[in-house]
Amino acid sequence: MTGDTVRYEIDGSAISSAADFYAEIGRAVNGPGGYFGSNLDALADCLRGGFGTPESGDFEFVWRDSATTRAQLGVSAADEPPMIDRVVEVFSDVGVPLTLS
């Protein structure tokens, strides 16, 4: 992380559903009640920049208490990985650094 990189922190202890995740990431980026996607496609669009994040793309996320989120969200449909894994994949696909802690 350079001195100019913006770090957003997601509070995993506040997440017990997909709706909670989108509310929490919206709060992390844009403050209480802020928007930052409401499904995985919208999340990917927001991660590309301009929805509260720097246009330069110089930002990263830290997901605190990610194990709590994993435990709360459990497993998705039988043929899909857990939501947390799908979210991590979106971050990776878009190229935005995400640290699970």
Side-chain angles (χ1 to χ4, degrees):
M1 180 172 98
T2 67
D4 295 335
T5 301
V6 176
R7 175 180 286 172
Y8 300 101
E9 294 192 8
I10 301 167
D11 179 3
S13 68
I15 301 169
S16 61
S17 68
D20 289 344
F21 167 75
Y22 294 112
E24 175 56 21
I25 197 168
R27 181 214 52 81
V29 174
N30 293 308
Y35 175 82
F36 203 74
S38 59
N39 58 55
L40 294 174
D41 290 333
L43 174 63
D45 289 343
C46 289
L47 287 171
R48 290 185 177 94
F51 289 90
T53 56
E55 290 285 338
S56 67
D58 199 10
F59 59 93
E60 66 183 16
F61 284 80
V62 175
W63 193 331
R64 305 254 179 246
D65 284 328
S66 60
T68 300
T69 304
R70 183 176 295 282
Q72 288 293 320
L73 294 182
V75 177
S76 298
D79 58 342
E80 291 186 14
M83 181 183 175
I84 190 169
D85 293 339
R86 291 182 287 147
V87 168
V88 168
E89 185 176 332
V90 169
F91 273 81
S92 177
D93 289 350
V94 175
V96 172
L98 172 64
T99 302
L100 301 178
S101 67

